[in-house]
Amino acid sequence: MPHRHWGTHALSDQQRLDLLEIFEERYRRKSTLITAQLPVAQWHEMIGEPTIADAILDRIVHNAHRIALEGDSMRKQKPRPLLTEARNAEINNP
């Protein structure tokens, strides 16, 4: 299965089955870390196929530890000043 970002697109039938197989194999045996910008409430729709979505979410949501980050995006922070020519040369030619 090609690497995709979680929640950026709808899943194909094969991707849904692959995910179900992965989460079924790991269920209660191994930890799985998922990061997403898509809220959990929208995962069912993103996965598609309600029966498979239910099975996948049963394995990853109900026993999960969730950490919800709040606040402004790091991308919105003030940009760092550009390096001066001298500093840039110093870094590239130690």
Side-chain angles (χ1 to χ4, degrees):
M1 177 169 64
H3 173 72
R4 302 279 187 186
H5 296 284
W6 184 260
T8 60
H9 67 289
L11 300 179
S12 70
D13 289 341
Q14 187 59 55
Q15 289 170 327
R16 280 189 283 274
L17 293 173
D18 289 345
L19 270 181
L20 179 58
E21 183 178 335
I22 290 167
F23 291 128
E24 177 66 30
E25 185 175 303
R26 298 179 67 83
Y27 184 64
R28 295 189 186 234
R29 287 184 231 150
K30 298 186 181 211
S31 298
T32 302
L33 177 66
I34 299 171
T35 61
Q37 292 180 341
L38 186 69
V40 174
Q42 295 177 17
W43 289 9
H44 197 276
E45 181 181 340
M46 182 269 303
I47 293 169
E49 183 56 45
T51 304
I52 294 176
D54 286 344
I56 290 170
L57 293 175
D58 280 346
R59 286 154 183 80
I60 60 175
V61 173
H62 301 297
N63 294 313
H65 296 280
R66 288 191 210 174
I67 301 171
L69 302 179
E70 296 178 4
D72 286 338
S73 168
M74 295 294 288
R75 292 183 186 117
K76 292 181 182 179
Q77 289 184 356
K78 183 177 166 183
R80 297 172 80 181
L82 298 174
L83 294 175
T84 63
E85 288 289 328
R87 182 68 180 130
N88 195 18
E90 182 182 308
I91 291 170
N92 291 322
N93 302 311

